[in-house]
Amino acid sequence: MDEKFEKRNEDHEHKGNLIIIGGAEDKKGESEILEEVVQISGGGKAHLVVVTTATEQPEAVGREYKKVFSRLGVKDVHLLNIDSRDEANSEENARKLLNATGVFFTGGDQLRITSILAGTKAYEALHMSFRNGTVIVGTSAGASVMSNTMIVEGNNNDPARKCTLKMAPGLNFLDGVIIDQHFDQRGRFGRLLCGVAENPGILGIGIDEDTAIRVYPDDHFKVVGSNAVTVIDGKTIKSSNVSELKPDEILAITNVTVHVLSQGYGFDLKVREVLRLH
């Protein structure tokens, strides 16, 4: 790694990596993204906790991930279905999260994750683990919750319209961005563009299926997987018609910056620059 990034890693307040997956990651072939999760969580010695809070089928989804992580060489995979705020305030569950080398959030409903975990002992344990070097991973709904602010609802496969986006606080692992997942496959460019138009200071990151970003402690990421990551930078916007007047109007926006990145590329979130990694 570049010396500049090594120095920034040393100076950062947390030691953990994030792996944010756009959903539908390969679980049966080479499983490149999940292999990356395993390797940076400790390989065969990893202690992975799979949190199934988001899904309405925790046992089936948990079993599927336990099977794939076991195939990739992890002997210690623990399934944790925190289903209520009482369970999220359990000392035992908080301890399980503290002891993990990697925590994996499955897909489902992102509001279930935040409404059950936010402000609890489990939430505090997750942040303490992250500061100490635990890898935090999320796929699909589990990806959306990684940032301070998350997309909860918006129009798919539709032109960008004003006031059609519903947002809420996320789990606060990554500042200054909003994440959207299943991005190209569900036609979500318009809704992410709305999110950036409403919050021009933040970056919109749209992650395709079977694609992920690995975010290092110094806030640069690399792209992993078979598809693309779209970065929408609102700082360059010169004008837009975003307001609550005529809320169903088509969005008008000028001078927005868009980057589309595939494997071999990365992005420095601090200076907002594309990186060519090899």
Side-chain angles (χ1 to χ4, degrees), residues 197-265:
E198 291 174 10
N199 301 274
I202 64 175
L203 288 163
I205 302 177
I207 307 175
D208 289 352
E209 292 179 357
D210 193 39
T211 309
I213 59 172
R214 175 180 173 182
V215 187
Y216 291 82
D218 67 342
D219 291 337
H220 85 280
F221 72 70
K222 72 172 185 179
V223 179
V224 184
S226 63
N227 287 306
V229 172
T230 301
V231 180
I232 303 178
D233 187 347
K235 275 200 170 178
T236 56
I237 291 171
K238 287 193 171 176
S239 65
S240 78
N241 64 349
V242 167
S243 74
E244 291 186 10
L245 295 172
K246 301 180 182 174
D248 292 329
E249 260 188 350
I250 294 289
L251 177 71
I253 190 167
T254 67
N255 223 54
V256 66
T257 301
V258 178
H259 309 284
V260 180
L261 310 174
S262 58
Q263 190 150 277
Y265 287 85

Side-chain angles (χ1 to χ4, degrees), residues 148-220:
N148 287 9
T149 304
M150 66 179 184
I151 294 174
V152 175
E153 202 175 279
N155 295 341
N156 295 338
N157 295 305
D158 198 35
R161 292 180 186 276
K162 295 161 38 176
C163 304
T164 53
L165 204 61
K166 182 180 176 185
M167 292 199 273
L171 288 184
N172 201 22
F173 290 110
L174 188 59
D175 197 14
V177 308
I178 50 174
I179 306 286
D180 212 348
Q181 19 78 10
H182 301 282
F183 189 66
D184 184 60
Q185 291 74 17
R186 297 188 185 174
R188 288 179 166 175
F189 185 85
R191 77 179 202 173
L192 188 59
L193 195 61
C194 281
V196 174
E198 291 174 10
N199 301 274
I202 64 175
L203 288 163
I205 302 177
I207 307 175
D208 289 352
E209 292 179 357
D210 193 39
T211 309
I213 59 172
R214 175 180 173 182
V215 187
Y216 291 82
D218 67 342
D219 291 337
H220 85 280

Side-chain angles (χ1 to χ4, degrees), residues 4-144:
K4 173 183 73 172
F5 289 125
E6 286 182 354
K7 180 68 173 74
R8 276 174 35 178
N9 279 335
E10 288 169 11
D11 292 344
H12 214 273
E13 63 187 18
H14 65 79
K15 298 176 184 175
N17 283 239
L18 298 172
I19 295 188
I20 308 175
I21 309 168
E25 68 281 0
D26 175 22
K27 302 180 186 68
K28 294 179 179 174
E30 292 184 4
S31 305
E32 182 182 7
I33 295 168
L34 298 180
E35 179 68 45
E36 180 109 359
V37 171
V38 169
Q39 291 311 311
I40 65 172
S41 299
K45 295 181 179 176
H47 171 40
L48 290 181
V49 174
V50 177
V51 181
T52 54
T53 301
T55 177
E56 293 181 347
Q57 301 172 305
E59 291 180 10
V61 171
R63 274 197 308 271
E64 182 181 28
Y65 279 107
K66 188 162 189 173
K67 184 177 177 182
V68 67
F69 284 128
S70 297
R71 178 175 66 79
L72 295 173
V74 182
K75 297 180 180 69
D76 189 0
V77 182
H78 184 85
L79 306 181
L80 185 58
N81 184 40
I82 297 175
D83 201 32
S84 67
R85 288 184 64 79
D86 280 345
E87 290 176 7
N89 275 311
S90 148
E91 294 281 0
E92 182 184 358
N93 287 336
R95 191 163 51 249
K96 288 172 182 172
L97 295 169
L98 278 172
N99 291 335
T101 60
V103 177
F104 187 100
F105 286 92
T106 71
D109 175 356
Q110 53 261 49
L111 263 181
R112 270 187 60 79
I113 299 174
T114 54
S115 63
I116 289 172
L117 295 184
T120 65
K121 289 177 181 175
Y123 177 89
E124 291 168 6
L126 282 164
H127 279 269
M128 189 177 296
S129 295
F130 184 53
R131 286 195 296 274
N132 292 337
T134 295
V135 182
I136 307 291
V137 188
T139 186
S140 191
S144 292

